Amino acid sequence: MRFTPHSPLLLRSLLALTATASLNTYAARPMITDDARIVDAKACQVESWVKGNKNSTEYWAIPACNFTGNLEVSLGGSAINQNGQTQNQSYIMQGKTLFKTLEKNGWGIGLAFGNAMQPRSESQRHLLSSPYAYVPASFSFRDDRFVLHTNVGWLHDKPNNRNRATWGLGSETQLSERTWLIAETFDQSAGRPFYQVGVRHWLVPDHVQIDTTYGNRFGSGSEERWISIGLRLLSVPFLP
C-alpha cells in the first residue's frame, strides 16, 4: 500500500510499491493497494509516474529488485512541484516477502515493511521517518482474469506523531489480452476513504507498461482529486 496523495506530504502517494512493486500481471502501478506478488527472482523493475493534484505536481520513481528469490527491495522517492518550484522531496525504502505464492485460481499472502522519509521542513535536511508494515493478500479468479487484493497494516505518522491503521481493497479486471481495468479504495484512519480507477496497458508484455488513473476522496469535491500517468519497466533476470 503506497501512501495516499493527500495526507501530509510524507504520506503523499506512495505505494505503493509498495509499495511499490511486484510481478507480471500483478497489482503494481498504478494501484495503491498492494498485491501478494514480488518481482521475479534476480530481476528488477522501475515504476515511475507523474501525479497532478489541484495545486501541485508530484514526480515519482521507485526501482525495485529481487536479489534472493523471496525478498523484493525498493528504494525511491518523489519531488513535489508547486508554483513552478520544487517544494519538498520524499524518500521510501521497503522490503517485501511472500509466505504463500499467488497461483492461478488460488490465493497468496505476504508481508511488506518499510520507512517513508521527508525533510522536517523545506529549509532543513534532517529527515522525519515514518515506519510502516502491512499484510497483502491476493485472490485469483477466472484464470487470473479477475484478481482481488486486500491490505491491512499499520503506519507511524511521525510528522503528526500518530499511529494509524491502514487498509486497502482493490481489483484488477482483464479487458483484453494486454489491457486491465483497476479499481480500489483505501484509507489510513484519517477521515473518509479514497478511491482510484484507471487502466493499465502492456506495450511490451511483461516488460513495458503504461497506465493512467483518476482518484479522489469519497464525498470530496475538487480539492483532493488527482490524475496520474505512469510508466513501468521490468527486466529479465540478470542479477548474480
Side-chain angles (χ1 to χ4, degrees):
M1 176 183 290
R2 305 176 189 118
F3 294 106
T4 65
H6 303 292
S7 307
L9 286 181
L10 168 61
L11 308 180
R12 290 191 178 191
S13 293
L14 179 218
L15 117 276
L17 223 354
T18 11
T20 259
S22 309
L23 151 111
N24 293 335
T25 58
Y26 53 109
R29 252 307 296 172
M31 294 187 73
I32 291 173
T33 305
D34 203 0
D35 64 351
R37 300 190 184 102
I38 57 177
V39 175
D40 286 341
K42 307 300 182 179
C44 295
Q45 72 167 8
V46 177
E47 294 180 310
S48 61
W49 67 96
V50 178
K51 178 174 291 181
N53 306 306
K54 183 175 181 179
N55 297 312
S56 65
T57 304
E58 303 173 28
Y59 301 91
W60 284 86
I62 302 181
C65 292
N66 183 350
F67 295 95
T68 67
N70 193 28
L71 179 62
E72 177 187 279
V73 178
S74 304
L75 176 62
S78 71
I80 300 175
N81 187 288
Q82 192 169 16
N83 299 323
Q85 296 182 340
T86 299
Q87 300 293 318
N88 211 328
Q89 294 178 319
S90 299
Y91 308 93
I92 295 168
M93 297 185 299
Q94 179 175 286
K96 182 180 176 185
T97 189
L98 299 179
F99 303 130
K100 184 181 186 302
T101 302
L102 177 63
E103 298 177 350
K104 186 179 295 185
N105 298 320
W107 62 280
I109 191 169
L111 174 67
F113 50 91
N115 199 4
M117 299 159 284
Q118 76 168 119
R120 186 181 297 273
S121 71
E122 294 180 16
S123 61
Q124 293 179 320
R125 294 186 177 182
H126 179 69
L127 296 176
L128 285 174
S129 297
S130 291
Y132 64 91
Y134 62 91
V135 175
S138 298
F139 306 86
S140 168
F141 303 92
R142 299 176 58 204
D143 295 333
D144 284 347
R145 291 192 294 274
F146 178 80
V147 186
L148 183 69
H149 307 290
T150 65
N151 291 178
V152 177
W154 158 86
L155 162 72
H156 180 64
D157 181 355
K158 183 67 174 181
N160 295 307
N161 195 28
R162 291 184 58 188
N163 289 310
R164 299 182 184 273
T166 64
W167 61 266
L169 177 64
S171 66
E172 303 171 80
T173 304
Q174 188 171 13
L175 301 178
S176 67
E177 182 180 359
R178 296 190 181 188
T179 305
W180 294 75
L181 171 70
I182 70 102
E184 62 179 333
T185 180
F186 50 91
D187 191 30
Q188 296 171 354
S189 298
R192 292 187 300 271
F194 292 89
Y195 67 88
Q196 182 174 223
V197 294
V199 174
R200 70 160 66 105
H201 178 76
W202 288 105
L203 294 177
V204 179
D206 299 336
H207 293 293
V208 182
Q209 186 182 82
I210 58 174
D211 61 72
T212 184
T213 66
Y214 168 85
N216 204 341
R217 187 194 290 267
F218 284 106
S220 178
S222 62
E223 291 297 319
E224 298 184 277
R225 68 186 179 187
W226 72 90
I227 295 175
S228 75
I229 298 175
L231 172 67
R232 183 162 150 248
L233 305 175
L234 295 96
S235 76
V236 297
F238 71 96
L239 297 171

